[in-house]
Structures are given as structure tokens and as C-alpha cells.
Amino acid sequence: MKPTRIIPLFLLSLFLILTLPSHAQKREPQKNVKARMKNGKEDPWADYQEEKDSIGRWAYGINFGGYFPNSYSANYYNGTPGNVNTVDFLIKNIFQSNEFKALLGISDTGKIVIPGYPGSLESFPLKMHYNVAITVGVFLRLNLNKKNGLFLQANYVQLKAEDVLKIEVNPPTYLTDQHDYRYLPISGKEERAMLDLGYQRSFPLKSKIYLFLNGGISMVYTHVKKHVLVVQGREYNLINIYGPSGYSGPNSQEFNTVQYGLGFGGIVGAGVGFPLSDLFGLEPGFNMQYYPVNLQGYPAYKPCFSVFIRILLGFSHGKVS
């Protein structure tokens, strides 16, 4: 199965699993009848107090939020010679170089160079960064009691990194200030699926509102969807999908090339919970994940941040104190 199909199938399967606990739990026995009596009579506040001091054993729902990725791995897309996907792959290919010249309006005998290269990488975008993105996911928590719980969540996000590459057309052979510089957009797109398993500690307030802290372990799968250089509005793929022989014209054979990374790390976060009813609640908060993206050449652990609002869609009938 292709990696690009694993992510949506995984999220769909996990969401279906999350809907099972509310139907599988049996109602736990009510508190002892004596505990409901006061001065020989049934305490009218007993049901209220029991509801206040209890919580659904299972909570599940969906997450929405903003994702702030670390820019470290965004340089995977800057096209420098040290990366897997390089601008040389295109410029040094005679077929595509001639196409560039036609698009840029220069003759077949003209030249396209990267100023300063190979002695310097100053013309490359060495400080690429990702755009802030929207993350969505599913969530399941097993409440051990009112203050302690174990959670499992899966979130998905698509990221884009973009900048420009500086090139020079027909560089002069003598000293002059007359240079013809062009700036070509370069960009990459990727998707990440993040699975977190952890522990949540809640701190109930006098009202039904509660604060919480959470921490755990994370697994992050990153898949490169697109990496292109744009010349006069036309996109050129920087991923080598043509094998060792490279691009040799419109009839070149293409291969299925998948670039991805798998990293393991940790997660910590905090937030506040608002139980609006027995079947509905909100948990806004933030998380910090610390993991390696593990795209080739980018193995370092770096922090990423997210802010979210969690919509708890339901609770099971079983109650724990």
C-alpha cells in the first residue's frame, strides 16, 4: 500500500474505533443507598453531588487548531547541493535547461548561472520556513478517575515552505554593474500524521471547570508531496522521478519516488476544560512536540508548537469518582 493512502485510512479507522467505547460500557452500580440518606431521609442533593464528583470513564472527540512547525527541516526544500533534491538536477540537464532559456527569453547559446555558486551558496534560500497551518485530529481519553487519565490522539497537518532562488542570465565577462538577475520561486509541500500516547492530570476548580497538564510519547510520519522550481509560471519537479538516466524529453519514463521520514519523540502541554453538559465539552489548550522529522539530511530533534480546541463529543455511561 502506498504511504499516501496509509494516512487517511489510519485516521478513518481510528475515528471508527473511538466511537465504540460509549456503547461497550455498562452502567456501574449506584452508590450505597445509605450514602444517599440524611437524617433517615433521602438527601435531595445526593444526585447533584454524585454528578459533580463523577466523570465519564471514556471521553472522545475531535481536535482543531493551529500548527507552528520548526523551520529547521524547511531547508530540505532550498535546492542546495547538500540536499536530496537539488537545483543542479534541473539546470545541468540539457533538455530542461533549454526549456528554461526559452521561457526566460534567451537564446540557446545563452547562459544561466547561480551567482556565487559553487564557491558560495548566497543565492540559495538558506533560511526557508514553513507557513503556519491548520491541524485536525481525533482524540480518545480513558479517565482513571476525576484527576487522572490516559489519552491517545492522532492529528494531521499539511505544510508548505516557499522562497526564491536567485539566478543570473548571460553574466557579463567583464566588470560591470549591468547584471540580469531573475528570482525563481521554489517551494515544497509535505503532510504529517502525528500519533500521541500520554497521561493527563486534571486540577478541578470549585466550579465544573478544570485545568490540565499532559505529557507523553509521539510518533510523526512525514511525507513529501511536492517540491518544485517555478520558471515563468511553469513548475519543474525537483524530485528525481526519472531514475539514474534523468530527464531526456517528454517521453521519459517516470518512476514512483516516495520521500518520507519517521520520527519518535515526546509531547507536553496544558489547557483548560469546560464540561458544558454530560455529553458535550470543550478543552482549549496548547502542546509542544519535540521530535526529529527525519527527512534525509535533517535528523535533529526540534520543537514544534500547536494551539487547539478539543470538542468532546460524548462520554460513556460508566462513571468513576
Side-chain angles (χ1 to χ4, degrees), residues 198-235:
Y199 163 77
Q200 177 173 316
R201 171 69 174 182
S202 297
F203 303 90
L205 304 179
K206 291 183 178 180
S207 63
K208 290 187 176 183
I209 298 174
Y210 56 92
L211 306 177
F212 67 85
L213 298 174
N214 60 254
I217 57 176
S218 296
M219 180 183 74
V220 181
Y221 171 80
T222 303
H223 170 238
V224 177
K225 298 185 65 178
K226 188 177 183 180
H227 190 191
V228 297
L229 181 70
V230 182
V231 182
Q232 294 297 104
R234 179 173 175 179
E235 292 185 347

Side-chain angles (χ1 to χ4, degrees), residues 57-268:
R57 183 172 295 278
W58 292 96
Y60 60 98
I62 53 178
N63 302 324
F64 296 96
Y67 191 72
F68 303 84
N70 192 282
S71 60
Y72 165 71
S73 59
N75 280 320
Y76 180 86
Y77 304 103
N78 65 20
T80 57
N83 283 331
V84 175
N85 307 327
T86 70
V87 174
D88 279 351
F89 169 69
L90 297 180
I91 292 181
K92 291 184 177 179
N93 182 287
I94 187 172
F95 298 97
Q96 291 176 313
S97 179
N98 286 336
E99 290 182 9
F100 292 168
K101 293 174 182 179
L103 291 171
L104 294 171
I106 63 177
S107 66
D108 292 342
T109 58
K111 291 184 178 181
I112 298 175
V113 300
I114 301 175
Y117 178 73
S120 169
L121 299 179
E122 62 186 31
S123 296
F124 290 88
L126 301 179
K127 295 183 179 180
M128 291 190 71
H129 62 276
Y130 295 106
N131 296 333
V132 177
I134 300 296
T135 180
V136 297
V138 290
F139 176 84
L140 172 67
R141 183 173 65 237
L142 170 62
N143 294 311
L144 304 176
N145 52 46
K146 191 174 182 180
K147 296 182 179 180
N148 301 281
L150 302 176
F151 71 87
L152 175 68
Q153 66 177 352
N155 292 296
Y156 175 81
V157 64
Q158 291 193 7
L159 301 175
K160 183 177 182 180
E162 53 189 347
D163 211 317
V164 294
L165 170 74
K166 180 182 178 181
I167 67 169
E168 185 175 4
V169 172
N170 292 329
T173 56
Y174 52 89
L175 293 177
T176 178
D177 293 332
Q178 302 300 317
H179 293 273
D180 186 1
Y181 295 126
R182 310 287 178 91
Y183 296 88
L184 307 180
I186 185 171
S187 66
K189 290 183 179 181
E190 67 184 48
E191 57 186 353
R192 295 183 189 178
M194 299 161 284
L195 184 66
D196 305 313
L197 175 64
Y199 163 77
Q200 177 173 316
R201 171 69 174 182
S202 297
F203 303 90
L205 304 179
K206 291 183 178 180
S207 63
K208 290 187 176 183
I209 298 174
Y210 56 92
L211 306 177
F212 67 85
L213 298 174
N214 60 254
I217 57 176
S218 296
M219 180 183 74
V220 181
Y221 171 80
T222 303
H223 170 238
V224 177
K225 298 185 65 178
K226 188 177 183 180
H227 190 191
V228 297
L229 181 70
V230 182
V231 182
Q232 294 297 104
R234 179 173 175 179
E235 292 185 347
Y236 285 87
N237 194 353
L238 285 168
I239 301 174
N240 183 8
I241 59 174
Y242 304 109
S245 59
Y247 179 77
S248 57
N251 297 322
S252 300
Q253 183 179 359
E254 297 183 1
F255 299 89
N256 182 27
T257 302
V258 180
Q259 297 180 347
Y260 68 94
L262 183 64
F264 295 87
I267 181 175
V268 294

Side-chain angles (χ1 to χ4, degrees), residues 257-285:
T257 302
V258 180
Q259 297 180 347
Y260 68 94
L262 183 64
F264 295 87
I267 181 175
V268 294
V272 57
F274 299 92
L276 303 180
S277 72
D278 287 343
L279 300 176
F280 181 73
L282 298 175
E283 287 186 347

